[in-house]
Amino acid sequence: MDHAVINAPFGQLRLTADRDILTGIEFLLEREALKKPVSAILRKTQAQLDAYFANPRHRFDLPMRLEGTAFQQSVWQALCDIRPGSPLTYGQLAKNLGTAPRAVGGACGSNPIPIIVPCHRVVSASGIGGFMKTRYLGPLNIKSWLLAHEQGKQ
């Protein structure tokens, strides 16, 4: 396994890869020492994330491995179909998938490659909802930044 720690407009990200396949992106809530990407896949991931941070319409093209249940896989695929700047509610996505909103929320919280698999594009019917399996301010600030960025407000 290879990893890097990079800066993002809202903090830091840890990128992980197994050989030439991206396996994870983690939002770091506490600062860590930066670790420059060494492998080709992590350098390409950083370049594509930088392109997204410059233009939220950037289309990611990276080899990824998303490990999860068949249900999680179906939710993650559906997330990739949500257009930037056009969030859906947990209920809307659940209806599209024939399941329950809480199940969608659970799959979103288990997403190993956020941003690229855009779980931040799913919100509650009454507000922003949760993020990173929590409703704490730090993660919600990241989700708010991502949503505002995609709506041209950043």
Side-chain angles (χ1 to χ4, degrees):
M1 290 292 243
D2 188 16
H3 82 279
V5 175
I6 64 170
N7 284 321
F10 46 76
Q12 292 182 312
L13 297 170
R14 179 181 295 115
L15 313 177
T16 56
D18 184 7
R19 296 184 194 92
D20 58 352
I21 297 174
L22 181 66
T23 58
I25 294 177
E26 180 183 352
F27 298 101
L28 301 178
L29 298 177
E30 295 185 20
R31 305 257 340 142
E32 291 188 11
L34 295 176
K35 184 176 186 286
K36 211 173 176 176
V38 175
S39 67
I41 183 60
L42 292 183
R43 286 193 311 271
K44 187 174 181 181
T45 300
Q46 181 176 20
Q48 290 199 24
L49 285 167
D50 289 344
Y52 166 79
F53 295 139
N55 174 6
R57 303 293 182 254
H58 173 76
R59 296 182 62 85
F60 291 97
D61 179 24
L62 295 163
M64 301 181 293
R65 182 172 60 233
L66 294 154
E67 294 183 0
T69 66
F71 174 75
Q72 289 170 328
Q73 297 282 340
S74 69
V75 172
W76 299 336
Q77 181 57 55
L79 295 174
C80 292
D81 295 335
I82 303 171
R83 291 189 338 252
S86 302
L88 294 179
T89 66
Y90 294 99
Q92 289 170 315
L93 188 55
K95 184 177 179 183
N96 293 349
L97 295 170
T99 190
R102 283 185 186 249
V104 168
C108 287
S110 298
N111 174 11
I113 305 180
I115 302 176
I116 296 172
V117 177
C119 52
H120 62 274
R121 294 182 189 153
V122 183
V123 297
S124 82
S126 61
I128 194 167
F131 195 56
M132 298 167 49
K133 296 183 181 179
T134 184
R135 291 182 180 270
Y136 292 121
L137 190 56
L140 292 180
N141 285 341
I142 294 169
K143 183 174 183 173
S144 294
W145 189 96
L146 292 165
L147 290 169
H149 174 60
E150 292 184 352
Q151 293 171 351
K153 298 177 182 176
Q154 284 293 349

